[in-house]
Amino acid sequence: MLAIQNLRVEYGARVLFSDLSFTVQPKERIAFAGHNGAGKSTLMKCIGNIIQPSGGKITMPKGYRIGYLPQEGIHVKGISLWDETESAFAEAVAIRKRIDELSDSLEHLDPRSSPFSECLEEIGNLEIMLDAYDPARMKPRIQAVLTGLGFSESDFDRDCGHFSGGWQMRIAMAKLFLQAPECLLLDEPTNHLDIDSQAWMENYLVNYPGSILLISHDRSLLDTLCTRTIAFHKGRAEEYAGNYSYFERESVVRRENLVRAYEAQQKEIAKTQEFIDRFRASANKATLVQSRIKQLAKVERIVIEAEDPVVNFRFPPPPSSGHSVAKLERSSKRFGNHTVFENFDFEITKGEKYAIVGPNGAGKSTFCKLITGQDDPTDGEFTLGLRVALSYFSQNHADELDPNKTILETVEETATREAAPHCRNLLGCFLFRGDDVFKKIGVLSGGERSRVALVRMLVQPANFLILDEPTNHLDMQSQGVLQRALVAYPGTVLIVSHNRDFLDPLVHKTIEFRPGRKPTLYPGNITYYLEKSAADKAREAAAVKANSAPRPAAAPTLSQSPTTSTTATPPSGNRKDQRKIDADNRNQRNKLLKPLQEEMTSLEGKIAEMESAQATLTTHLSSEEVASSPQKFRETSNAIEKITHNLEVAYTRWTELSNQIEAIEEKYPLPSA
C-alpha cells in the first residue's frame, strides 16, 4: 500500500496544496482532476520521487516499484526499438547472460572438479530465478505491447532516435507497461496516441494488475478506468468516491450544501452579534456579552470561494461560402513508392462537421494539407469552393509565432474589430490569466505556444476550420469552451482528434484513414464509427473464416445437370407461355416490392421529422439561454446526438431498402413493350 501523509508543496508564497493525505490500495485507479497549474503533475512528480515536497512524507512497502510517464521530454537514441523495450526486463536479461557465460565456462572445467559442481549449482539457482520472469513469454509480450501501441514489425530494428517526440513517448509507455510496476503514474497518456492505440491502451489499463494514478483531459478514459477522484482547486484537494462524471455531479452538491451551511452560519453570527450590540452597555448582561464575544471568536468561519467564471466564446460571424467547400476528384497521393490513397473522390459541403481518425501515418495530415492547398495531389484534381475563407490549426503553427511578442500582442494582431475587446477573456478560457498575457512567446512551453496558436486562429473570421489535435493541451473547462463554440459555429469543420467525449456532440460524419486502403466515410459521430467499424471488422473476419473453410461440392439433381440452366426458356413462337411467365414475374415483383416501398415511404416521413427536430435543436443550442447553462447545453447536445444517431440508422436502412428494391427490379424486369 502506498501512503501519502500530510504532503505540502509551495513555491514562494504560493501553496499548491497542504496537509494532503490519502492511501493507494492495490489495483486502485485514481484520477487527479483540476485545471492546469492546480498541482496535479506536481503531486505525481512527488510520488514518483522526481521532486521533493515542502513537507510531509510518502511511504511504501520495501520493494514497491513506481513507474512514472511524464507528458513529454523523453528522447532515446543509439539503441534499437526492440533492445530499448527489452531493457524493461533488464534483470532477466542479465540473469540469462550470466547463465550463458557460466555455460560456456563449463566446457573448460573438469566435470569431476569442485569448480564444475559450483558452476553447475549457480546455473541451477539462476535458472530458478529466471523462471520467475517467465522468459518464454517475454518476446510475445514485447511484440504485443509494441504492436498495440502502433509500431509495426519493421520498426523493431530501427534506432529509437529516428522516431519523433510522440513516438518516443510511446516507446517510454511500452517499456513502462512491460516493467509492470506496482503503481503506474500516467500524466496525459493519450496525448500522443491515435484512436486505435488509445483503445488498446484503455483495455490494457482496465486489466492492469497494479494501481494507477491518472491525469487526463479525456473524460471517456477517466470515466471508464477510475473509481476515485482527487480534485485540486485553489490550494485544496478533495476526495470523491467515483469517476470524473461522479466528481462533477458531487462537487455541485457539495457546494450547494456548503452555501446552505454558510447562510445558516451567517444567520447565527448575525443573531449573536445583535445580542452583543444590544446588551454591550448593560452591566447586568456583561458576563453574557463577554461569553458571546468569546463564542463568536471561536467560530470557524465558512468561506465560499468564488467559482471560476463560465465564459462562452463565439466565433466571429463567418463570411458566407458556396455550397461546395472543397472537392477532391479521382485524387491520388504518393510519396515515391508509398501510396497514401488512390482514386479518391470526396466533397465537403457547407456546414458539415467531420472527424478525421486513423492510425498515425495513415494519411490524416496529408489529407489536411491537400484540403488546405499546402500540397497538391499526385493525380486528380482539388478544388476549393467559392468564397471559402479557410483557417488551419496545426501543432507546427506554434513554432512559427514571433518569440519577441507578448501573448496578447500575438492574438490581437489577427483579431477582428468585434473580437479584439474579448481577447483577454478568451485567453483566460485557455489558461492565460491575469499578467500571463504579457509573457513573451519565447519563454512559453510547447503546450502553451500551441494554446496561443489556437486562440490566434479562433479570433480570425473564417467559414472553414481545420483543426489538428486542438484539445491536446487543454483542460476540461477550456475544452468545454471550444466545444460549445464549435457546436454553435455555422461554418464547416474538419477535426483530427481521438477525444471521443469532445467530438461526439460536435461532428456529424467520420472519415477513417487506413494504410493501404481507400478512406472510408461513416455517417455518424465517433461512437457510431467505433460501433460500426467494430461490426465491419467482425463481419470481415467471419467472411475470411467462412471462405477459408472447405465447402462440399453440390451434387447435380436429376432435373439439373452441371452444364444446363435451371430457367427454362419457352420457344420463341409460344407467346402464351411467355405471357404467363411475364405475369408471374410481375406478380412476384409486386409482391416483393410492395412492403419495401411502403416501409421506404414511412421511413422518408420519419427522416423528414427527425431532420426538422435536429435543425430546431441545433438552433436552440446556440441560444444564450442554453450556451450559458452547462446542464442545458449538455442535455441539448445529448438530444442532438441521439437524433443524429437515429438519423444515421434511418439513412442506413433507407440505403438498404433502395438496394433491395433495385435488386428486385433487376431480377424481375418488366417486359418490354
Side-chain angles (χ1 to χ4, degrees):
M1 182 180 71
L2 178 67
I4 288 80
Q5 299 173 313
N6 303 317
L7 213 65
R8 177 183 179 87
V9 172
E10 57 187 40
Y11 292 104
R14 185 188 177 201
V15 178
L16 280 181
F17 48 81
S18 63
D19 297 324
L20 176 61
S21 298
F22 65 94
T23 59
V24 181
Q25 301 294 334
K27 297 187 179 181
E28 262 200 313
R29 279 88 169 102
I30 302 175
F32 290 171
H35 62 76
N36 285 12
K40 305 186 300 294
S41 294
T42 301
L43 173 58
M44 194 166 276
K45 289 175 182 176
C46 288
I47 297 171
N49 201 30
I50 308 300
I51 62 174
Q52 293 301 312
S54 308
K57 62 180 181 179
I58 299 169
T59 60
M60 64 193 78
K62 186 178 180 180
Y64 190 91
R65 296 172 303 149
I66 293 177
Y68 171 59
L69 181 75
Q71 285 192 37
E72 54 189 17
I74 293 177
H75 189 78
V76 179
K77 61 181 180 179
I79 185 172
S80 72
L81 171 62
W82 183 271
D83 289 342
E84 173 62 15
T85 48
E86 190 182 41
S87 68
F89 304 107
E91 190 172 349
V93 171
I95 292 172
R96 187 167 55 193
K97 183 178 179 182
R98 178 60 178 160
I99 290 173
D100 291 341
E101 290 173 353
L102 291 171
S103 298
D104 290 340
S105 66
L106 279 178
E107 298 178 5
H108 307 290
L109 296 174
D110 185 349
R112 295 167 294 181
S113 67
S114 175
F116 184 89
S117 301
E118 292 170 357
C119 187
L120 204 59
E121 184 179 357
E122 186 178 352
I123 289 174
N125 292 333
L126 289 172
E127 285 180 341
I128 292 172
M129 293 172 60
L130 187 61
D131 284 342
Y133 289 94
D134 197 0
R137 293 189 62 242
M138 280 170 48
K139 184 175 180 180
R141 283 176 63 194
I142 294 172
Q143 288 177 326
V145 170
L146 287 177
T147 53
L149 290 174
F151 294 98
S152 63
E153 289 195 16
S154 60
D155 292 327
F156 292 173
D157 294 326
R158 288 178 61 190
D159 190 297
C160 289
H162 296 163
F163 293 99
S164 65
W167 287 97
Q168 289 278 343
M169 296 308 297
R170 295 195 195 199
I171 296 171
M173 188 183 294
K175 189 174 175 180
L176 200 59
F177 288 172
L178 290 166
Q179 287 171 340
E182 281 73 19
C183 183
L184 272 179
L185 310 178
L186 304 177
D187 194 348
E188 295 291 355
T190 64
N191 271 3
H192 305 286
L193 301 182
D194 54 55
I195 200 161
D196 289 341
S197 299
Q198 183 178 334
W200 180 89
M201 184 201 71
E202 185 176 303
N203 183 64
Y204 185 89
L205 293 179
V206 165
N207 298 293
Y208 187 74
S211 307
I212 300 172
L213 303 183
L214 176 65
I215 299 172
S216 178
H217 294 142
D218 188 321
R219 183 192 301 268
S220 297
L221 178 64
L222 292 175
D223 281 351
T224 299
L225 193 63
C226 297
T227 53
R228 278 173 70 194
T229 301
I230 298 176
F232 297 82
H233 183 69
K234 296 184 178 178
R236 293 184 294 107
E238 293 185 347
E239 280 202 61
Y240 295 82
N243 62 16
Y244 189 85
S245 292
Y246 172 84
F247 148 68
E248 283 193 316
R249 295 191 302 270
E250 181 65 16
S251 62
V252 173
V253 173
R254 288 189 187 184
R255 183 174 178 84
E256 290 172 351
N257 292 338
L258 188 66
V259 169
R260 282 194 290 269
Y262 171 80
E263 291 171 348
Q265 187 185 66
Q266 289 300 304
K267 288 179 182 178
E268 288 297 318
I269 291 172
K271 190 187 296 182
T272 304
Q273 188 64 50
E274 182 185 0
F275 179 89
I276 293 169
D277 294 341
R278 182 178 178 185
F279 297 107
R280 188 186 296 272
S282 173
N284 295 334
K285 302 284 187 180
T287 303
L288 284 174
V289 168
Q290 289 302 315
S291 175
R292 296 293 175 90
I293 290 173
K294 291 178 181 178
Q295 177 186 340
L296 200 59
K298 291 179 181 178
V299 172
E300 188 174 339
R301 306 296 176 102
I302 298 172
V303 178
I304 302 293
E305 295 178 348
E307 290 187 281
D308 292 332
V310 177
V311 181
N312 288 306
F313 163 73
R314 288 179 177 273
F315 285 94
S320 181
S321 71
H323 178 70
S324 179
V325 174
K327 192 174 185 179
L328 287 169
E329 297 178 275
R330 303 179 305 281
S331 61
S332 301
K333 187 61 184 177
R334 291 183 290 274
F335 295 99
N337 295 326
H338 175 62
T339 299
V340 181
F341 51 76
E342 197 161 14
N343 198 26
F344 180 41
D345 292 313
F346 184 69
E347 183 176 18
I348 302 167
T349 56
K350 182 179 179 180
E352 290 183 321
K353 294 174 181 175
Y354 289 87
I356 304 174
V357 299
N360 288 359
K364 302 189 298 293
S365 296
T366 300
F367 174 72
C368 288
K369 288 179 180 178
L370 290 181
I371 296 297
T372 58
Q374 295 181 37
D375 203 352
D376 297 319
T378 308
D379 299 312
E381 296 180 3
F382 166 71
T383 307
L384 193 65
L386 295 173
R387 302 183 301 279
V388 172
L390 188 147
S391 190
Y392 177 40
F393 169 74
S394 164
Q395 301 289 342
N396 296 332
H397 289 175
D399 299 326
E400 300 170 4
L401 302 179
D402 188 340
N404 298 313
K405 289 185 177 179
T406 67
I407 295 172
L408 188 58
E409 289 171 344
T410 302
V411 173
E412 284 182 336
E413 69 183 7
T414 61
T416 62
R417 185 178 301 173
E418 294 80 9
H422 306 292
C423 284
R424 289 203 66 169
N425 285 340
L426 183 58
L427 283 167
C429 295
F430 290 91
L431 315 177
F432 298 107
R433 300 181 174 96
D435 292 339
D436 287 345
V437 299
F438 301 115
K439 288 181 179 178
K440 298 284 188 183
I441 297 295
V443 303
L444 302 181
S445 67
E448 288 172 329
R449 287 198 300 272
S450 291
R451 294 203 303 273
V452 174
L454 178 60
V455 176
R456 179 184 166 94
M457 188 211 76
L458 297 181
V459 297
Q460 298 176 19
N463 51 33
F464 184 24
L465 303 179
I466 300 179
L467 308 173
D468 189 356
E469 298 291 359
T471 65
N472 266 6
H473 301 283
L474 302 184
D475 63 6
M476 293 291 193
Q477 184 183 13
S478 303
Q479 286 186 31
V481 171
L482 180 59
Q483 185 188 61
R484 290 191 292 273
L486 287 170
V487 169
Y489 175 66
T492 309
V493 183
L494 291 181
I495 305 180
V496 180
S497 180
H498 57 260
N499 191 328
R500 185 171 67 194
D501 188 72
F502 177 79
L503 290 173
D504 266 354
L506 171 60
V507 300
H508 313 135
K509 298 179 181 179
T510 303
I511 310 171
E512 181 195 47
F513 284 80
R514 290 278 170 190
R517 290 173 54 179
K518 188 179 289 188
T520 305
L521 177 64
Y522 290 84
N525 61 14
I526 295 295
T527 297
Y528 172 83
Y529 152 72
L530 290 172
E531 292 172 354
K532 191 72 168 61
S533 61
D536 290 345
K537 289 173 185 174
R539 251 195 319 272
E540 288 175 7
V544 169
K545 186 176 180 181
N547 290 335
S548 62
R551 297 183 179 180
T557 63
L558 291 174
S559 60
Q560 176 187 349
S561 71
T563 56
T564 59
S565 170
T566 60
T567 304
T569 303
S572 58
N574 195 338
R575 296 182 177 275
K576 183 177 180 181
D577 290 343
Q578 184 61 50
R579 282 197 299 272
K580 186 176 183 307
I581 290 172
D582 290 343
D584 289 343
N585 279 345
R586 191 181 296 107
N587 291 337
Q588 184 67 11
R589 172 191 170 104
N590 293 337
K591 180 181 177 181
L592 295 173
L593 283 178
K594 186 178 179 181
L596 297 178
Q597 290 169 337
E598 288 176 350
E599 184 182 352
M600 177 172 276
T601 301
S602 173
L603 188 61
E604 287 172 344
K606 291 178 182 177
I607 288 173
E609 291 175 5
M610 286 190 285
E611 287 176 337
S612 176
Q614 185 187 49
T616 302
L617 282 170
T618 302
T619 303
H620 184 53
L621 192 69
S622 60
S623 67
E624 189 65 31
E625 176 191 0
V626 174
S628 60
S629 170
Q631 182 178 354
K632 290 182 180 179
F633 183 87
R634 189 158 47 248
E635 289 172 353
T636 308
S637 296
N638 289 340
I640 292 174
E641 180 185 349
K642 185 176 180 181
I643 287 179
T644 301
H645 176 70
N646 291 340
L647 262 175
E648 300 310 337
V649 172
Y651 290 147
T652 302
R653 180 56 183 159
W654 188 92
T655 303
E656 291 172 353
L657 289 171
S658 297
N659 292 338
Q660 290 175 24
I661 289 171
E662 287 178 7
I664 292 169
E665 288 175 342
E666 184 178 344
K667 186 174 181 180
Y668 300 99
L670 292 173
S672 56

